[in-house]
Amino acid sequence: MLKPEALQELIQVLGQDNVLMEKEDLMTYAYDATAAMKRVLPDVVITPANTEQVAEVVKIANKYQTPIYPRGSGTNLSGGTIPVESGIVMSMLNMNQILEVDAENLTAWVQPGVIIQDLNNAAMEHGLFYPPDPGTVTTATMGGSVSESSGGLRGLKYGVTKQYVMGMKLVRGNGDVIKWGGKTVKNVSGYDLTALFTGAEGTLGILTEILVKLSPTPEAKKSILGVFDDIDKAGSAISAIIRNKVIPATLEIMDNMTIRTVENFAHAGLPIDAQAILLCEVDGYKEAVEREATLVEKILAEEGATEVKLAKDDKERDQIWFARRNALPALAQLKPTTVLEDATVPRSKIPDMIKAIRQIATKYNLTIGTFGHAGDGNLHPTILTDARDTEEMERVEKAVAEIFDVAISLGGTLSGEHGIGMAKAKFLPLEFGEEGVNLLRDIKKALDPNFILNPGKMVRRD
Amino acid sequence: MLKPEALQELIQVLGQDNVLMEKEDLMTYAYDATAAMKRVLPDVVITPANTEQVAEVVKIANKYQTPIYPRGSGTNLSGGTIPVESGIVMSMLNMNQILEVDAENLTAWVQPGVIIQDLNNAAMEHGLFYPPDPGTVTTATMGGSVSESSGGLRGLKYGVTKQYVMGMKLVRGNGDVIKWGGKTVKNVSGYDLTALFTGAEGTLGILTEILVKLSPTPEAKKSILGVFDDIDKAGSAISAIIRNKVIPATLEIMDNMTIRTVENFAHAGLPIDAQAILLCEVDGYKEAVEREATLVEKILAEEGATEVKLAKDDKERDQIWFARRNALPALAQLKPTTVLEDATVPRSKIPDMIKAIRQIATKYNLTIGTFGHAGDGNLHPTILTDARDTEEMERVEKAVAEIFDVAISLGGTLSGEHGIGMAKAKFLPLEFGEEGVNLLRDIKKALDPNFILNPGKMVRRD
């Protein structure tokens, strides 16, 4: 429990209106988008207005040894924003200004509470866009997505959030305010702390301003759909596209379980007997897009697609993406609880991974639909279950652990884009060994020795 | 001095042949490509053959509290490989195997002693290339260039080394061997230690294997030259190119001093009265390159270039780049000592920076030629001097400090691509404040508490 003196100091810094203590207010901060996590009420929810207030709060938290849980929109899928014990939830939603769009240097400075889509709208006025595109682009904040280094559909060609963060202002665990990075493409001054704090899940510092890179909006786009009766052929088509030097903006896959569920849900005219669908989008200059689309069409046919469809116009393009957009909603309506994983493998291992997931589903008698970002090896095995069914949840846990095992053994990673948070912290030794986890912990201890900043996430105290 | 027992242990691990102790051998490791640095002889130079040997040596170094200076080809320009006191120089040149080129996943695993160009040659067989291209591409090692996060001419479109490192095996300061990252584009497992160790100048760990990303070789290239009688017009042309959504692979600038020197040296037919030359190369699909080259030609003319030349064939293209390639050699032959800086500013500030450098040259009565990577704001003010002239060297030092001041005040950085090393460590507070330097030091202390790994570089003990 927070001491009354601590509360008084918080109110003094932030004003009464920015310090919430009513139980009904606190309840909405006891969970986030992650399924089946324990809910813990914070003592207090605060909404700072600027960097100075954040720094003052960090000093108060240190003085009273109480944790701070920074939070954007809470859309993360790894329990990154849930309190693990009572403490202060710091909502960044009031710090939501786009401070600058600099079209000459292709950059923007934003506060952490800015919604990603709002940045895109501001960039669009200059013919620019912000390439990282997590599924929650219309609700997630920049602070949250930078702290999780979130991915999305365009990773293959454009990379993910960490490739777009150029600098930041942040508050360290001791309350120091530090500015890092800048508008220059080249910057090798000091260790790359911009990269270290990106994806650190709020455990090393609290971001109060973020500098990101923008890109020119591509002139043209074309989408192609390929239907396969064999998962290996689909995998081989993915490799063939890359081998032919086409780097699509997006290259997605849906397995049979997902196809059937989407079709049942959305009646999109999908081939329910197909073992896999590949959805591909190429973008860039008109002429380049023409060439790449034609080439992809040819490759899909050569690799044994039973049907290939090149969208002739925007309407056909929307039809192709309608199915993909409905994958998660369709799966999610089958059962009360959706456990969405993001184990990721080298793209050449996609068929192996999909087959392994199918075997795991059979072994544990679970319903698992798999779809995801085939081009960058980032699959979303989606386990449909019911958190109230303790026996089934035990099987789910075993299945998840086995999915991680397979991903690591194929040269992959525990998390492609959802982060470690609370949900996967215990699996880290699988990927890095105890020596690797010790290294992570040494960094955490060096930067936040009192474990004030989002404790219990990423790396534990011991 | 190294204790005889320590030496015995090193010989036991590495074999007599891989432990050099003769003064004439040691002398060649007392300096690197950085101008005017104090030369310090190491006690011993060793050449490990594998990760296990590196780990054993780190343990010995810890036991005897003796520093290790990892070294590739020594081409760095910030004193990154010079011993600051006696100790062990660890040459990585015997670990020079390309372990794998994986064309399906667009990656390569290399040992640190691999020369960058050798990786490019291996990648070329698969129609791929490794985009980072420091000027020393034919001599610098992968280990050195990753540790310095080196840049080069293609930064604007392709980014620099840090954008291409996907994973690594490394030896920590305590001898632990840790593998990090992997072949997946998406990876948010743990803190981004791949990024932290890239550009860490060998001060946090010793890289023993490196995983890098490769790109498809562009199908076509075109080069355009623009001549300007006014530095502001050249700057405005740079901005106009970007504003028109052309992101050239390369966009270089040379100032009047450099133009005149190159012309005198190489008789390339350069306009010696020009205030600036812009050299631009666009690459990609044939059709895209045609459009971009024509657009750049038009923009240069509109922005007031007195002459615009689009290379019609490879021969004309080589002519355009001949001048740029000769910039440094031409400047370097004017005086015995060449102090080559790399202060970097947002690209919109290039004209301000060039003018400031000119004023500084006049103020301190120095000869400074400026050329560099205009597209990414990375200039190379090159001070021509004589290290034996103590009085002039004092003026050089003042001029360098002032160049850094201006770069920082324009929103830039101390170093775009050469690193901090010994040469710029004392200037770090300028860019990050004492709080920022404390943060760097906290990371160094957490990962290498005994300051065994390349001490005296990047961040000092206190």
Side-chain angles (χ1 to χ4, degrees):
Chain A
M1 276 298 294
L2 205 60
K3 285 193 181 164
E5 306 93 279
L7 200 58
Q8 270 318 309
E9 291 186 32
L10 289 174
I11 292 171
Q12 211 167 346
V13 169
L14 299 153
Q16 186 74 61
D17 288 354
N18 294 306
V19 180
L20 303 178
M21 285 167 295
E22 297 298 323
K23 196 175 169 199
E24 46 270 46
D25 289 324
L26 302 182
M27 276 176 66
T28 53
Y29 295 89
Y31 62 95
D32 61 20
T34 320
M37 302 296 291
K38 193 180 148 207
R39 298 187 179 193
V40 175
L41 282 196
D43 292 316
V44 62
V45 175
I46 61 165
T47 46
N50 53 50
T51 303
E52 294 66 36
Q53 289 187 356
V54 173
E56 286 306 313
V57 171
V58 170
K59 284 177 194 159
I60 295 168
N62 260 301
K63 183 170 161 191
Y64 293 98
Q65 294 284 302
T66 192
I68 299 177
Y69 304 99
R71 183 182 176 109
S73 299
T75 55
N76 79 87
L77 294 165
S78 51
T81 44
I82 310 176
V84 289
E85 53 185 290
S86 62
I88 302 165
V89 165
M90 182 184 280
S91 164
M92 308 308 284
L93 294 181
N94 279 4
M95 292 176 67
N96 60 0
Q97 299 303 303
I98 296 171
L99 303 170
E100 178 194 68
V101 175
D102 179 344
E104 288 200 41
N105 291 303
L106 304 179
T107 58
W109 270 110
V110 298
Q111 288 185 325
V114 167
I115 304 299
I116 305 173
Q117 188 58 47
D118 290 341
L119 170 59
N120 266 317
N121 295 344
M124 211 184 297
E125 292 174 28
H126 303 270
L128 302 172
F129 78 123
Y130 174 67
D133 64 336
T136 50
V137 67
T138 56
T139 45
T141 62
M142 289 297 295
S145 61
V146 169
S147 294
E148 300 288 330
S149 190
S150 56
L153 273 68
R154 285 193 284 249
L156 174 55
K157 178 168 178 176
Y158 289 98
V160 297
T161 301
K162 62 180 151 189
Q163 272 90 32
Y164 290 85
V165 184
M166 300 185 78
M168 49 187 51
K169 187 186 267 188
L170 62 91
V171 178
R172 261 192 84 165
N174 63 5
D176 279 356
V177 176
I178 297 170
K179 208 166 167 178
W180 218 264
K183 290 184 182 178
T184 63
V185 176
K186 289 180 178 169
N187 184 328
V188 292
S189 190
Y191 300 131
D192 190 354
L193 296 190
T194 300
L196 181 64
F197 284 94
T198 299
E201 304 186 349
T203 65
L204 301 181
I206 301 177
L207 310 183
T208 62
E209 291 180 19
I210 301 163
L211 176 69
V212 294
K213 188 172 122 175
L214 303 173
S215 290
T217 311
E219 174 183 273
K221 293 178 183 184
K222 271 202 183 287
S223 297
I224 311 102
L225 171 92
V227 178
F228 290 88
D229 57 8
D230 179 336
I231 198 80
D232 281 320
K233 287 184 194 164
S236 162
I238 294 166
S239 295
I241 291 170
I242 306 296
R243 202 167 51 240
N244 279 277
K245 316 297 178 224
V246 177
I247 310 290
T250 303
L251 182 52
E252 300 284 305
I253 194 166
M254 287 166 56
D255 75 349
N256 176 264
M257 165 72 201
T258 309
I259 295 167
R260 279 186 291 121
T261 309
V262 170
E263 184 52 27
N264 190 42
F265 175 74
H267 310 293
L270 294 181
I272 56 172
D273 294 327
Q275 288 306 300
I277 292 181
L278 290 186
L279 303 108
C280 179
E281 183 158 282
V282 293
D283 70 3
Y285 283 115
K286 267 200 315 273
E287 303 89 336
V289 164
E290 282 297 335
R291 272 177 62 181
E292 288 191 338
T294 311
L295 186 53
V296 168
E297 217 181 347
K298 185 167 153 267
I299 293 168
L300 293 176
E302 281 171 4
E303 296 293 330
T306 55
E307 188 193 337
V308 179
K309 188 174 168 179
L310 172 69
K312 294 283 176 289
D313 50 33
D314 280 358
K315 200 181 146 212
E316 285 193 20
R317 185 175 159 259
D318 285 347
Q319 272 170 2
I320 284 181
W321 292 102
F322 178 74
R324 172 61 183 87
R325 271 200 309 274
N326 276 289
L328 187 56
L331 289 168
Q333 48 86 44
L334 284 188
K335 290 272 196 101
T337 306
T338 310
V339 176
L340 181 66
E341 287 305 338
D342 69 325
T344 301
V345 294
R347 78 173 69 85
S348 61
K349 302 293 184 189
I350 287 268
D352 295 346
M353 188 69 197
I354 291 182
K355 283 184 274 186
I357 293 169
R358 243 193 251 161
Q359 284 161 9
I360 291 167
T362 308
K363 178 171 171 188
Y364 293 104
N365 189 25
L366 291 168
T367 307
I368 309 185
T370 298
F371 62 96
H373 319 303
D376 42 42
N378 177 202
L379 292 176
H380 291 309
T382 305
I383 309 181
L384 307 177
T385 181
D386 184 340
R388 295 161 300 187
D389 181 343
T390 354
E391 186 276 325
E392 183 165 282
M393 285 308 283
E394 276 171 24
R395 282 184 280 125
V396 169
E397 267 186 44
K398 283 181 190 158
V400 166
E402 213 157 300
I403 288 172
F404 291 153
D405 271 337
V406 176
I408 301 287
S409 75
L410 292 171
T413 174
L414 290 174
S415 180
E417 58 182 14
H418 293 171
I420 298 301
M422 275 202 281
K424 290 180 213 161
K426 70 175 176 190
F427 294 104
L428 283 179
L430 251 185
E431 186 162 353
F432 305 119
E434 289 300 337
E435 293 87 352
V437 177
N438 288 341
L439 176 46
L440 292 176
R441 189 178 297 114
D442 287 346
I443 290 175
K444 169 70 175 171
K445 281 183 178 168
L447 267 58
D448 177 30
N450 297 329
F451 277 65
I452 295 298
L453 302 175
N454 211 10
K457 319 299 162 61
M458 186 72 89
V459 63
R460 294 169 185 184
R461 201 183 281 250
D462 44 26
Chain B
M1 274 300 290
L2 205 60
K3 284 192 180 163
E5 307 93 279
L7 200 59
Q8 270 317 308
E9 291 186 34
L10 288 175
I11 291 171
Q12 210 166 345
V13 170
L14 299 154
Q16 185 75 62
D17 288 354
N18 294 305
V19 180
L20 302 179
M21 286 167 294
E22 299 297 323
K23 197 176 168 197
E24 46 270 46
D25 289 323
L26 302 181
M27 275 175 68
T28 55
Y29 295 88
Y31 61 95
D32 60 20
T34 320
M37 304 295 291
K38 192 181 149 207
R39 299 187 178 192
V40 175
L41 281 197
D43 292 315
V44 61
V45 175
I46 61 164
T47 46
N50 53 49
T51 303
E52 294 66 37
Q53 289 187 356
V54 173
E56 286 306 314
V57 171
V58 170
K59 284 175 195 159
I60 295 168
N62 260 300
K63 184 170 160 192
Y64 294 98
Q65 296 283 303
T66 191
I68 299 177
Y69 304 98
R71 183 182 176 109
S73 299
T75 55
N76 80 86
L77 294 166
S78 51
T81 44
I82 309 175
V84 289
E85 53 185 291
S86 62
I88 303 165
V89 165
M90 183 184 279
S91 164
M92 308 309 282
L93 294 181
N94 279 4
M95 293 177 66
N96 59 0
Q97 298 303 302
I98 296 172
L99 304 170
E100 180 194 66
V101 175
D102 180 343
E104 289 200 39
N105 291 304
L106 304 179
T107 58
W109 271 110
V110 297
Q111 289 185 325
V114 167
I115 303 298
I116 305 173
Q117 187 58 46
D118 290 341
L119 170 60
N120 266 318
N121 294 344
M124 211 185 294
E125 292 174 26
H126 304 270
L128 302 173
F129 79 122
Y130 174 67
D133 65 336
T136 49
V137 67
T138 54
T139 44
T141 62
M142 289 297 295
S145 62
V146 169
S147 294
E148 300 288 330
S149 190
S150 56
L153 272 68
R154 286 194 284 248
L156 174 55
K157 178 168 178 176
Y158 288 99
V160 297
T161 301
K162 62 181 154 191
Q163 273 90 31
Y164 290 85
V165 184
M166 300 185 78
M168 50 186 52
K169 187 186 268 189
L170 62 91
V171 178
R172 259 193 85 166
N174 63 4
D176 279 356
V177 176
I178 297 170
K179 209 168 166 177
W180 218 263
K183 290 183 182 179
T184 65
V185 177
K186 290 180 177 169
N187 185 327
V188 292
S189 193
Y191 300 130
D192 191 353
L193 297 191
T194 300
L196 182 63
F197 283 94
T198 300
E201 305 186 348
T203 64
L204 301 181
I206 301 177
L207 311 182
T208 62
E209 292 180 18
I210 302 163
L211 176 69
V212 294
K213 189 171 121 178
L214 304 174
S215 291
T217 312
E219 174 183 273
K221 293 177 182 183
K222 270 201 183 288
S223 297
I224 311 102
L225 171 92
V227 177
F228 290 88
D229 59 7
D230 178 336
I231 197 82
D232 281 320
K233 287 185 194 164
S236 163
I238 295 167
S239 294
I241 291 170
I242 305 296
R243 201 167 52 239
N244 279 278
K245 315 298 178 223
V246 177
I247 311 289
T250 304
L251 182 51
E252 300 283 305
I253 195 165
M254 287 166 57
D255 75 348
N256 175 263
M257 165 72 200
T258 309
I259 296 167
R260 279 186 290 122
T261 310
V262 171
E263 184 51 28
N264 189 41
F265 175 73
H267 311 293
L270 294 181
I272 56 171
D273 293 329
Q275 287 306 299
I277 292 181
L278 289 185
L279 303 109
C280 179
E281 183 159 281
V282 293
D283 70 4
Y285 283 116
K286 269 198 314 269
E287 303 89 336
V289 163
E290 283 296 336
R291 271 178 61 182
E292 287 191 338
T294 310
L295 186 54
V296 168
E297 219 182 344
K298 185 167 153 267
I299 292 167
L300 292 176
E302 281 171 4
E303 297 293 330
T306 54
E307 188 193 336
V308 179
K309 187 174 170 179
L310 172 68
K312 294 282 175 292
D313 51 32
D314 281 359
K315 199 182 146 211
E316 284 194 19
R317 185 175 158 258
D318 285 348
Q319 272 170 1
I320 283 181
W321 292 102
F322 178 74
R324 171 63 183 86
R325 274 199 307 275
N326 276 289
L328 186 55
L331 288 168
Q333 47 86 44
L334 283 188
K335 290 270 196 106
T337 307
T338 309
V339 176
L340 181 67
E341 287 305 337
D342 69 325
T344 300
V345 294
R347 79 174 67 84
S348 62
K349 303 293 186 191
I350 287 269
D352 295 347
M353 189 68 197
I354 291 182
K355 282 184 276 186
I357 293 168
R358 243 192 253 162
Q359 282 162 10
I360 292 167
T362 307
K363 178 172 170 189
Y364 292 103
N365 189 25
L366 292 168
T367 307
I368 310 185
T370 298
F371 63 96
H373 320 302
D376 42 40
N378 177 202
L379 293 176
H380 291 310
T382 305
I383 309 179
L384 308 176
T385 180
D386 185 339
R388 295 161 299 188
D389 181 342
T390 356
E391 185 276 326
E392 183 164 282
M393 285 309 284
E394 276 171 27
R395 282 184 279 127
V396 169
E397 267 186 43
K398 284 181 190 159
V400 166
E402 211 157 302
I403 288 172
F404 291 153
D405 271 337
V406 175
I408 301 286
S409 74
L410 292 172
T413 174
L414 290 173
S415 179
E417 58 182 14
H418 293 172
I420 298 301
M422 275 203 282
K424 290 180 214 164
K426 69 174 177 190
F427 295 105
L428 283 178
L430 250 186
E431 184 161 354
F432 305 120
E434 288 300 337
E435 293 88 351
V437 177
N438 288 340
L439 176 44
L440 292 175
R441 190 178 295 115
D442 287 347
I443 290 175
K444 169 70 175 172
K445 282 183 179 168
L447 267 59
D448 178 30
N450 297 329
F451 278 65
I452 295 298
L453 302 174
N454 211 9
K457 317 298 161 66
M458 184 73 90
V459 62
R460 294 170 184 183
R461 201 183 281 250
D462 46 20

